[in-house]
Amino acid sequence: MAEAEGKAASSDEQLQPVSVSSSGPEDGQPAARTQSTEERVEAGGAARAESTGERVEAGGAARAESTEERVEAGGAARAESTEERAEGAALLANHDPTSVTLALDPFKRRKFFVLRPGTLNQAIKDVEALVDKEVDGSIHGIWLMAEVDHWNNEKERIVIITDNSLLIFKYDFVMFNCDQMQRIPLNFVDRITHGTFSFPRRSILRREGEGVRVFWDRLREPSFTSRWNPFATDYPFNTFTYHPVRNTDDMFTALCDIHNFRVQLLDAAQKAHAIKPVPGKANGVLVLNQHIEIEAYVGLMSFLGNQNKLGYCMARGNLGF
């Protein structure tokens, strides 16, 4: 019995450490895993908290900076807009109605072919070559003007005064060709009228500016058919006015000066009357300062033609002249 109890006790002592050693690791692993999970949770929470805090701070700072930038940009834009409105108000206060017209004129004048470099010089050479020295004599002056017919149509013309003749050329500044020439002997010129233009009482037409009308047969009146024929050429007078390019520069101002043209025409005509008087006609030239009347009433064709400058050699886009 004693030996049996000793064996049992020894066996119990041997078994006890085994049970303890086997149960120790099983209880330690869950604790370690729990501790690791808690650390990761705490670390992740702290990281997320820090990241969230950083994003919040960064977002707040960015929004604050963006708000400040928008405020500064808006303030600067409003300040600039206020300055621009102030400048615009100052310009409107000092505005001259003629300044718009003067600003638009150079753009319109560039369309005239006569302003192209070398065009006018070539045209003058071509028309001078058509002057007959034996019939016309020497050249006194050359002018660039607009002729106004009896239906109020404007036509671009080059006019030359010589010793014996008044030469009127219809020149094509596009093709550099003289299409028509009219020769009027100066000893036949008997009247020169200058002044503003006028129309009949019931006419709806108007024309600004001044002109010069040259008569060479005061006894002959145009017929009824000629008055109503827009293409009639048997009128005993020619009417001239300023060319639209006269204000381009000093050269064109002198070339388009109808006052100087009238003075030189009167002087040349009086000399021609003295040298070669016409039998049956009173010698001398009568100069009148009065309205130049154009007997046109409706003038739809002249209105469209003058507004679009159809009587001038101009650049007209793809249509040409």
Side-chain angles (χ1 to χ4, degrees):
M1 289 297 288
E3 293 178 0
E5 290 177 359
K7 290 180 182 180
S10 62
S11 64
D12 291 336
E13 290 176 0
Q14 292 176 357
L15 291 172
Q16 184 176 1
V18 172
S19 63
V20 171
S21 62
S22 62
S23 63
E26 292 178 358
D27 295 339
Q29 288 178 358
R33 285 195 298 271
T34 303
Q35 183 178 0
S36 175
T37 304
E38 290 177 357
E39 290 177 355
R40 287 197 299 270
V41 169
E42 290 178 359
R48 285 195 296 273
E50 291 178 0
S51 176
T52 304
E54 291 176 356
R55 287 198 298 271
V56 170
E57 291 178 359
R63 285 194 296 274
E65 292 178 358
S66 177
T67 303
E68 292 177 359
E69 290 176 356
R70 286 198 297 270
V71 170
E72 292 177 357
R78 285 193 295 273
E80 292 178 358
S81 177
T82 304
E83 292 178 358
E84 291 177 356
R85 286 197 296 270
E87 293 177 357
L91 291 175
L92 290 175
N94 299 325
H95 174 66
D96 185 4
T98 61
S99 62
V100 177
T101 304
L102 294 177
L104 292 176
D105 284 344
F107 173 75
K108 294 181 180 179
R109 287 198 296 264
R110 283 198 298 268
K111 295 183 178 181
F112 289 89
F113 278 97
V114 69
L115 297 179
R116 303 294 172 91
T119 301
L120 181 61
N121 294 333
Q122 183 61 43
I124 292 175
K125 291 180 181 179
D126 292 341
V127 297
E128 284 180 346
L130 299 176
V131 177
D132 191 344
K133 298 295 183 179
E134 297 181 359
V135 177
D136 303 316
S138 59
I139 298 175
H140 291 182
I142 300 176
W143 285 267
L144 177 66
M145 293 188 291
E147 182 181 1
V148 183
D149 65 6
H150 60 290
W151 273 44
N152 196 36
N153 295 303
E154 292 182 10
K155 303 172 184 178
E156 195 171 33
R157 295 291 184 265
I158 296 177
V159 182
I160 295 180
I161 297 177
T162 64
D163 291 332
N164 304 320
S165 305
L166 173 65
L167 303 176
I168 304 171
F169 299 91
K170 177 184 177 182
Y171 189 84
D172 186 353
F173 290 97
V174 180
M175 301 302 297
F176 296 101
N177 182 49
C178 182
D179 296 332
Q180 181 182 346
M181 184 183 73
Q182 182 181 5
R183 177 181 284 109
I184 302 171
L186 290 179
N187 57 343
F188 280 79
V189 175
D190 50 28
R191 183 172 46 165
I192 299 175
T193 303
H194 63 95
T196 58
F197 294 95
S198 65
F199 293 85
R201 179 179 300 180
R202 298 180 180 180
S203 176
I204 64 175
L205 298 176
R206 296 293 182 271
R207 172 176 287 278
E208 298 180 356
E210 299 180 354
V212 175
R213 178 169 287 178
V214 182
F215 297 84
W216 59 84
D217 192 353
R218 70 178 68 180
L219 300 179
R220 181 167 62 90
E221 293 292 334
S223 62
F224 177 81
T225 56
S226 296
R227 293 177 186 272
W228 291 97
N229 181 11
F231 306 104
T233 58
D234 58 347
Y235 269 72
F237 58 80
N238 285 84
T239 307
F240 303 100
T241 188
Y242 292 106
H243 195 284
V245 302
R246 67 186 180 99
N247 293 324
T248 303
D249 54 29
D250 294 338
M251 183 191 71
F252 280 97
T253 300
L255 196 65
C256 304
D257 187 4
I258 61 174
H259 175 73
N260 187 24
F261 166 74
R262 174 171 56 86
V263 172
Q264 292 201 27
L265 177 62
L266 175 61
D267 182 66
Q270 289 176 343
K271 291 180 180 179
H273 277 282
I275 296 174
K276 190 177 180 181
V278 179
K281 292 188 65 174
N283 295 324
V285 181
L286 180 63
V287 180
L288 299 175
N289 184 4
Q290 62 183 19
H291 294 296
I292 300 175
E293 185 175 2
I294 300 177
E295 296 185 15
Y297 291 88
V298 179
L300 179 61
M301 184 177 70
S302 65
F303 175 78
L304 296 176
N306 295 338
Q307 287 295 322
N308 295 283
K309 304 297 183 185
L310 298 181
Y312 299 88
C313 294
M314 296 181 62
R316 306 180 191 279
N318 296 329
L319 297 178
F321 175 74

